[in-house]
């Protein structure tokens, strides 16, 4: 009887070992994504799966591993001791998979691939079209897809995996993201050609707050930069301005300025052509220059393939002063 029991136990062990061999890459990826996102719904969204499908992957993984891998509590999700071991190996496996793919892609004579971009208004409208012209000349097989929104939306798009690379009008500090300044910008005060402040030698903040002012919507980097600049220089805040209108894009603000609705602070890139053509005028503010940097962002865990690197290098090398 003891011999039979021992044999049966050996059979169970062999069956468990065989079960372990059925673990799939997708199940390992589900485990890694779940732990990184800390949410079944977010992990499912990132993997383009339904939540029940993701849960099934985790359940099957636990069955094949013959142990519980995930602790589910009111405080969230955590790994068991066994789960921690498997998680470490899962990360290595996924890294090896990505490295293999990258090496295979790099064997091709030409750099090809799709790059999915999210960009705030100014980069999307006035900078990236020029950058893409250079990319097209150097790497005609790279296809770029661009979504435009305000900077806050672009940050969320990158974090949620809706786009691979983002361009925003501010610098952020988020441990999940790589953020690197890429282009310089200056925000200038502009009015319709012939505006009464155009020839004034000394234009102060008091002069500006008396003028009808057109402002960007909340969430835009242009507005955030302006508000931060006013605070840091102890100048009157937005609430003291005579707001004529709040608008959702730099193009709309520019058209409102051209129509004579009021003055506004805009990126020099947004009005470069209109300044050259004499349609709008730059109104110098006494003693004040508002500058910022556009930044490129992507998730730190995102694998940059040759076509991503080629695109980023082209963007970094481009001289925006020539774009007019």
């Amino acid at each position: 009887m003891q011999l039979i029991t021992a044999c049966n136990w050996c059979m169970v062990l062999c069956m468990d070992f065989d079960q372990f061999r059925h673990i799939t890459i997708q199940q390992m990826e589900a485990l890694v994504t779940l732990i990184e996102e800390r949410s079944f719904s977010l992990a499912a969204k990132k993997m383009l799966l339904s939540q029940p499908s993701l849960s099934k992957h985790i359940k099957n993984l636990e069955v094949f591993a013959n142990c519980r891998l995930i602790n589910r509590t009111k405080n969230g999700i955590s790994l068991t001791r066994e789960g921690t071991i498997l998680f470490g190996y899962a990360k290595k496996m996924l890294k090896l998979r990505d490295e293999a793919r990258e090496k295979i892609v790099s064997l091709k004579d030409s750099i090809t691939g799709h790059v999915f971009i999210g960009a705030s208004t100014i980069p999307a409208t006035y900078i990236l079209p020029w950058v893409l012209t250079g990319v097209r000349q150097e790497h005609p097989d790279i296809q770029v897809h661009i979504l435009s929104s305000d900077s806050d939306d672009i940050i969320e798009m990158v974090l949620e995996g809706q786009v691979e690379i983002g361009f925003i009008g501010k610098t952020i500090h988020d441990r999940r993201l790589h953020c690197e300044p890429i282009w310089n910008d200056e925000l200038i005060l502009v009015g319709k050609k012939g505006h009464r402040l155009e020839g004034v030698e000394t234009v102060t903040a008091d002069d500006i707050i008396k003028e009808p002012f057109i402002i960007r919507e909340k969430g835009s980097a242009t507005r955030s930069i302006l508000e931060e600049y006013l605070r840091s220089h102890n100048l009157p805040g937005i609430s003291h301005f005579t707001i004529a209108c709040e608008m959702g894009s730099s193009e709309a603000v520019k058209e409102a300025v051209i129509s004579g609705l009021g003055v506004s602070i805009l990126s020099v890139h947004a009005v470069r052509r209109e300044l050259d053509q004499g349609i709008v005028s730059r109104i110098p503010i006494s003693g004040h220059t508002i500058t910022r940097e556009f930044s490129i962002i992507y998730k730190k865990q995102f694998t940059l393939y040759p076509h991503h690197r080629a695109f980023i290098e082209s963007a970094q090398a481009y001289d925006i002063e020539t774009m007019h």
Side-chain angles (χ1 to χ4, degrees):
M1 180 65 70
Q2 291 180 349
L3 180 60
I4 294 174
T5 302
C7 288
N8 288 341
W9 179 243
C10 288
M11 290 177 64
V12 171
L13 288 176
C14 288
M15 288 176 63
D16 290 342
F17 177 76
D18 288 339
Q19 287 275 78
F20 204 89
R21 292 191 303 173
H22 295 310
I23 291 175
T24 67
I25 287 286
Q26 191 171 31
Q27 289 165 359
M28 298 289 255
E29 187 171 15
L31 177 66
V32 170
T33 307
L34 176 61
I35 296 305
E36 290 177 347
E37 297 295 328
R38 298 290 179 183
S39 162
F40 275 88
S41 59
L42 292 178
K45 184 176 181 181
K46 183 174 180 180
M47 291 187 68
L48 303 178
L49 297 173
S50 66
Q51 191 167 330
S53 295
L54 180 76
S55 298
K56 187 175 181 180
H57 281 312
I58 298 298
K59 182 179 180 180
N60 288 340
L61 187 58
E62 291 183 323
V63 169
F64 295 151
N66 194 32
C67 60
R68 193 175 76 253
L69 303 171
I70 301 294
N71 290 316
R72 302 166 178 84
T73 67
K74 293 181 179 180
N75 296 326
I77 298 168
S78 63
L79 289 167
T80 64
R81 290 176 63 186
E82 295 84 352
T84 300
I85 293 172
L86 197 59
F87 177 80
Y89 281 101
K91 293 272 288 184
K92 293 177 182 178
M93 290 170 63
L94 296 177
K95 187 174 185 295
L96 287 172
R97 179 195 64 181
D98 292 339
E99 287 178 358
R101 178 187 172 189
E102 185 172 354
K103 288 184 178 180
I104 290 172
V105 170
S106 66
L107 292 176
K108 296 181 179 180
D109 293 333
S110 60
I111 297 178
T112 65
H114 294 258
V115 182
F116 295 89
I117 303 296
S120 59
T121 305
I122 300 300
T125 307
Y126 306 106
I127 300 177
L128 284 175
W130 294 89
V131 172
L132 294 184
T133 299
V135 171
R136 186 71 177 170
Q137 292 171 351
E138 293 290 327
H139 307 287
D141 293 323
I142 293 179
Q143 296 185 41
V144 181
H145 312 264
I146 300 178
L147 291 176
S148 177
S149 190
D150 63 47
S151 290
D152 289 345
D153 284 346
I154 297 304
I155 294 169
E156 288 303 313
M157 287 182 188
V158 173
L159 288 173
E160 293 177 5
Q162 296 178 31
V163 296
E164 298 168 323
I165 299 170
F167 292 92
I168 58 175
K170 55 186 177 182
T171 300
I172 59 170
H173 302 283
D174 189 315
R175 59 184 179 83
R176 297 168 294 178
L177 294 173
H178 171 86
C179 180
E180 177 186 349
I182 188 168
W183 303 308
N184 295 320
D185 187 25
E186 182 180 3
L187 300 179
I188 63 174
L189 180 66
V190 293
K192 183 179 181 179
K193 185 67 176 178
H195 190 278
R196 70 177 192 85
L197 293 179
E198 183 179 333
V200 178
E201 291 185 6
T202 304
V203 176
T204 65
D206 290 335
D207 295 320
I208 297 170
I209 63 177
K210 295 175 185 177
E211 290 294 317
F213 195 90
I214 307 155
I215 194 167
R216 284 291 307 275
E217 81 289 2
K218 291 182 179 179
S220 74
T222 300
R223 177 165 175 159
S224 298
I225 294 294
L226 174 60
E227 290 174 336
E228 175 58 31
Y229 185 86
L230 295 173
R231 282 194 299 270
S232 62
H233 288 77
N234 295 317
L235 295 171
I238 295 295
S239 60
H240 293 83
F241 282 50
T242 305
I243 303 298
C245 190
E246 181 178 300
M247 293 186 163
S249 72
S250 293
E251 276 295 301
V253 172
K254 182 169 63 176
E255 289 301 315
V257 170
I258 293 172
S259 72
L261 182 61
V263 299
S264 188
I265 296 286
L266 283 169
S267 164
V268 69
H269 300 297
V271 293
R272 191 186 299 276
R273 184 177 300 154
E274 286 74 15
L275 288 170
D276 290 343
Q277 295 175 351
I279 299 173
V280 299
S281 294
R282 177 172 182 169
I283 302 172
I285 307 173
S286 180
H288 294 285
T289 301
I290 308 176
T291 59
R292 65 171 170 182
E293 292 177 315
F294 290 115
S295 297
I296 182 172
I297 61 172
Y298 49 85
K299 292 182 75 170
K300 288 182 179 178
Q301 297 172 342
F302 176 65
T303 301
L304 293 173
Y305 293 108
H307 58 286
H308 296 118
R309 292 198 183 97
F311 171 82
I312 291 173
E313 289 171 2
S314 294
Q316 290 171 328
Y318 208 88
D319 181 6
I320 59 176
E321 294 303 320
T322 66
M323 294 188 293
H324 64 282

